[in-house]
Amino acid sequence: MRGRLPDEPRFVLYDLVMSRRSTTLEDLYLQMARMRAFEEAAAELWADGLISGELHLGIGEEGIVAGILDHLADGDAMALDHRGTPPLVGRGANLESLFLELLGHPDGLGGGNGGHMHLFDRTLLAASSGIVGASAPTACGFAFSHQQLRPGRVAVAFLGESAVNQGMVMEALNLAAVWKLPVVFVVKDNGWAISTRSSRMTGGDLVRRAASFGLTARKVDGSDVMEVWEEARRMTARARAGKGPSYLHATCHRPRGHFEDDPLLRRVEEPRALADDFRQVMKAARRAQQPIRSRVAGLAAIGRTIATVTVTRRRTKDPLSHAARRLDDPKALDRKAAEEVKGAVVAALARVGTRR
Amino acid sequence: MSTLRFSQAVDLAVRHAMDEDDGVVVFGEDVPMIRRELLARFGPARVRPTPISESAFLGAAVGASLGGLRPIVEVQLVDFLTVGLSALVNEAAKVDTFSGGRWQAPMVVRATCGGGYGDGGQHEQALWGMLGGIPGLTVVVPSNPADAAGLMLSAIAHDGPVVFLEHKLLSDMWLEWMGGSRRKSVDFDLPASGIEGAVDDPPVPVPIGRATVLREGRDIALISLGVGVHRCLQAAQLLANDGVDAAVMDLRTVAPLDRTAITEMAESTGRVLAVDEDYTAGGLSGEIAVAACAGRPSVRFGRVTTESTIPYARDREEAGLPNVGRILDAVKPLLE
Ligand SMILES: Cc1ncc(C[n+]2csc(CCOP(=O)(O)OP(=O)(O)O)c2C)c(N)n1
Ligand SMILES: [Mg+2]
């Protein structure tokens, strides 16, 4: 079945609603809790072998995603990266069909053809790519289509901080500036690109980089959903008013590593894995015929990465606990989210069961 | 001689080449962690990480090769190589011709390829046909550890750009990364004979552009590469039970294609089935057909290929990739 694009008259109503509504921390927390519950369920399905391939979760990024999404409505577009489920959950995608997609079922969001890195929801104008950086040019195109067909709508690109070193992303920043596109580039900075510390592979400062292209660029603490919400409000409003693109750089953390069963994380969590590795690497260094200086430098580089993982792992910045501290009864919201997600998982698994 | 796993065998070849020639360097995303044994041996100057900037670091590999190095540039999945494709198609592949044969770009692009573990259609492509169609590019796709090590040695020694593809079902390290293969709850159709095998130390170079016959047969020739070779060997075994004598040829190199070997094989069997994990159109299987009919136009030809974007759903994915069932089905009409 083909999704329907939202039609024009609803936008007027939307603008009215947007200008008068008020969002509470409860609302944002509930959204974050829904994303978290969804992804924790997905992690279990993956461990059970029901989801195949790599699974990259957005656990730790919910503060950024919820803070942005609260400013979006019908007709706005999203270009997503390899951590696409939280934005879809937050924008109101059907949870059961999202689960069915991850389970590879014909009734999934994309008929089970795309999988978790390649999620497309036409009614939400949401398109994903597992190609790092691809969301930035796609969002520019969404924004161009808004200029022509849906004035007042905004496009959001979600991407990681290391994606900003991708040529197509820097080209997209420039394109957005010269076409004055209604787009917000949202960079979720978890400090890592798989096993590489992003700062070691990034020249200069990314906020200044974006600003130098002529974008409004700001950095926020992504574990504080309200801080994200405030900045996102200004940026989306700017875009809607035709004042051009913005760049929002939000810090976050990566508690589960790059993907499920991350081998790098395993090395700091399982002493045996680390010891095996250490032995192997030392053996290689000892037997080499190369100058001692380069071998020591090589070993030091490996040691530094392991040490950095160990240290950054302890530095948690969980957006849910951050918000929970300021709420009366976050547990009730957790339960509400868990119930909704559980219902969707059970329904999805029942459909999968009948198929097999 | 020792028993090595697929990627270990490739690393062994890289190590020997790096020992012999200081100009051999390795770079790419996450290379320091993925190739940490090389890093421990050769240090961070020769084994380095890159930003996620395929067009820059593939382009830099071309320049580095022109400047006298022999770079091995790693792209995790061949699908990602398309982001920096201009460096290969418009730069590396053209140097020899544009310089009147006076300058070459000796570089190796090492990447994984292939499907069968449920990662979806943007992460499981083969793409070797498209790459192999560009004059000036050499493309190799080994099917076992010994060939992988031998072809890597030849690729590094080759005076021009070589794309070296490792199938993820053959490489346990990559399958662990991309397929979460440590889970007891998942099951992949892994070809045992390709994952692990005896490899000489130092490895014996395998010539680029030379196919090999893994099984002789008179009735039909199954011609393949990579994981497809193992599917063909399995199919040939089953065909033998039915009294059909099938030969199996491992091309090993996509470009330059060993056309002579294909033509000879087609002449002796009269029937050829190409088993190619890449897309159907505009690629390798059509070239196999041309070579197969070059000697005897009456040769009967069929092909088993990937006909559409690879579906994520595991059952549909398995059904769409070349598998033993599809090979047996395709052999039948050729025997009639
Ligand atoms: C073009 C391309 N190159 C490489 C990859 C492999 N890859 C997947 S995710 C990733 C790291 C991305 O880092 P970042 O942009 O910071 O996002 P994060 O994963 O940290 O959320 C890499 C290198 C890819 N998917 N696409
Ligand atoms: Mg990151």
Side-chain angles (χ1 to χ4, degrees), chain B residues 10-11 13-15 17-18 23-28 31 35 38 46-48 50 57-58 61 64-65 69-75 106-111 152-153 155-157 162 164 166:
Chain B
V10 183
D11 287 349
V14 171
R15 199 187 92 200
M18 290 182 81
V24 179
V25 295
V26 181
F27 56 89
V31 154
R35 308 291 170 222
L38 291 176
R46 292 176 66 191
V47 181
R48 34 173 94 200
T50 61
F57 69 74
L58 281 164
S65 71
L69 296 177
R70 285 191 175 263
I72 300 170
V73 54
E74 298 215 21
V75 177
M107 58 183 273
V108 180
V109 180
R110 179 178 180 183
M152 181 47 98
L153 281 184
I156 298 169
V162 180
F164 182 100
E166 288 173 63

Side-chain angles (χ1 to χ4, degrees), chain A residues 45-54 100-106 110-118 128-132 162-163 165-168 170-171 193-196 201-202 259-261 263-264 266-267 270 277 280-285 287-291 293-299 301-302 305-306 355, chain B residues 5 8 15-16 18-20 22 28-46 48-57 76-77 79-84 117-125 173 176-188 309-317:
Chain A
L45 295 172
W46 187 85
D48 290 344
L50 295 171
I51 294 177
S52 63
E54 316 152 77
L100 285 170
E101 183 62 23
L102 307 195
L103 294 166
H105 190 276
N113 288 313
H116 42 80
M117 263 188 291
H118 318 117
S128 314
S129 178
I131 295 300
V132 167
S162 260
N165 292 324
Q166 191 63 283
M168 65 179 114
M170 290 184 270
E171 293 173 23
I194 311 186
S195 73
T196 305
M201 286 294 112
T202 304
F259 42 22
E260 292 304 284
D261 200 27
L264 185 60
R266 200 186 314 138
R267 288 203 163 70
E270 293 172 22
D277 219 48
Q280 207 85 29
V281 164
M282 285 307 287
K283 196 168 98 187
R287 293 206 181 155
Q289 308 151 17
Q290 302 297 318
R293 208 158 10 101
S294 47
R295 284 183 278 159
V296 168
L299 289 172
I302 298 167
T305 302
I306 298 290
R355 188 169 58 112
Chain B
R5 282 167 294 151
Q8 274 185 323
R15 199 187 92 200
H16 279 288
M18 290 182 81
D19 265 331
E20 252 156 53
D22 287 345
E29 290 148 7
D30 298 295
V31 154
M33 258 317 168
I34 295 170
R35 308 291 170 222
R36 51 195 176 280
E37 285 181 38
L38 291 176
L39 174 57
R41 263 171 200 277
F42 298 100
R46 292 176 66 191
R48 34 173 94 200
T50 61
I52 308 178
S53 312
E54 283 84 5
S55 43
F57 69 74
Q76 295 175 352
L77 273 70
D79 316 64
F80 308 158
L81 188 151
T82 59
V83 173
Y117 63 97
D119 218 10
Q122 207 181 48
H123 287 69
E124 294 199 334
Q125 300 172 94
M173 176 245 146
E176 185 191 319
W177 269 53
M178 312 303 291
S181 59
R182 282 193 348 133
R183 290 176 288 172
K184 295 211 170 54
S185 51
V186 293
D187 193 18
F188 303 119
T309 295
I310 301 168
Y312 163 76
R314 285 286 286 138
D315 50 350
R316 278 176 266 162
E317 178 200 19

